[in-house]
Amino acid sequence: MKKEFLNNEIWILTFGGAFQRANIYKENYSEKIRTDFRKALREKVESFIKEKYYQKVEEEQHIETIKELVKFSNNLTIEGNCIPINFGIAQKLINLYLKYLWCLKEIPRPPHFPVDRIIQEKIIKILKDNKLDSLTLLPWTQFEDDTHYRKVINKAKLITDHLKEFKDLSLAELELKIFDRN
């Protein structure tokens, strides 16, 4: 019961984080359509976790998993309605859920972190302060594919590869170190 309770709470936080600025629902979508949509996404993500994430997942496999969720959403119809999500929303959903599971020691360290405005701004500031190659801020809700996502991840790798303060941190650890909700 405790584990199920915590998982439900994590999903509330995950959907809140992934959907809060995404405006994915049309005004005429009933609460039932929205609930069924979240339930279908949750089941799909949890199946990915069971299939793949209880062992180490490589970066390319992780990106393919995000793309699979986008495809799943684009092919999902609930009461005649399709609620497509783009790559940015899918990555935030999967990466945020993985972050929570990892922090609870349920899974090994995930390959990436949830990419959002806050983390992009933090990365841009660190790059600028250290005179490293910069990054252009792009709203994560507008990532139509993996192009900008990969740029963010590569700039984060630049930080962990070249800056003493962050040396040898994984990407997931880097995000925990520099993330600040405020």
Side-chain angles (χ1 to χ4, degrees):
M1 287 189 315
K2 290 178 186 178
K3 195 169 185 175
E4 186 178 334
F5 168 76
L6 285 176
N7 194 45
N8 288 334
E9 293 298 304
I10 289 169
W11 274 110
I12 290 169
L13 293 169
T14 299
F15 282 123
F19 290 178
Q20 66 186 351
R21 290 178 170 66
N23 298 318
I24 64 165
Y25 300 123
K26 293 181 183 170
E27 287 181 26
N28 64 335
Y29 288 165
S30 68
E31 190 54 41
K32 181 179 182 335
I33 290 170
R34 295 170 190 223
T35 300
D36 289 351
F37 177 68
R38 288 190 304 269
K39 182 180 179 208
L41 285 182
R42 176 179 172 166
E43 288 172 358
K44 188 64 172 174
V45 171
E46 286 178 346
S47 76
F48 288 150
I49 305 303
K50 286 178 187 160
E51 292 169 15
K52 304 173 186 183
Y53 289 91
Y54 282 102
Q55 61 274 340
K56 184 179 179 195
V57 173
E58 298 300 325
E59 183 172 70
E60 287 307 314
Q61 182 185 15
H62 180 62
I63 290 172
E64 287 305 312
T65 300
I66 297 167
K67 289 178 181 179
E68 284 179 54
L69 186 62
V70 171
K71 187 176 180 180
F72 173 79
S73 167
N74 291 340
N75 293 323
L76 178 64
T77 303
I78 298 171
E79 294 184 17
N81 297 286
C82 179
I83 307 171
I85 59 174
N86 63 23
F87 189 91
I89 297 165
Q91 69 79 23
K92 181 85 180 254
L93 187 75
I94 290 175
N95 284 326
L96 194 52
Y97 187 65
L98 289 172
K99 177 181 173 179
Y100 290 133
L101 293 180
W102 169 56
C103 287
L104 288 170
K105 299 179 181 176
E106 294 288 325
I107 62 167
R109 184 179 61 230
H112 293 160
F113 50 81
V115 174
D116 58 19
R117 180 178 193 86
I118 295 170
I119 197 67
Q120 287 184 82
E121 287 174 344
K122 298 282 184 176
I123 290 170
I124 290 167
K125 182 175 180 351
I126 292 168
L127 292 170
K128 183 179 176 187
D129 290 350
N130 291 279
K131 297 175 178 55
L132 294 171
D133 229 8
S134 194
L135 172 71
T136 302
L137 180 69
L138 179 67
W140 59 272
T141 56
Q142 295 176 18
F143 294 3
E144 293 302 322
D145 58 31
D146 62 320
T147 304
H148 193 76
Y149 177 81
R150 286 180 186 271
K151 287 179 185 176
V152 174
I153 297 301
N154 288 334
K155 295 302 180 182
K157 288 178 185 175
L158 193 62
I159 291 168
T160 59
D161 289 345
H162 295 291
L163 298 179
K164 187 176 182 179
E165 179 183 357
F166 306 107
K167 195 88 169 146
D168 300 323
L169 290 178
S170 71
L171 294 177
E173 292 164 335
L174 171 70
E175 191 261 356
L176 283 182
K177 184 170 179 129
I178 66 176
F179 182 82
D180 180 8
R181 188 175 297 279
N182 300 327

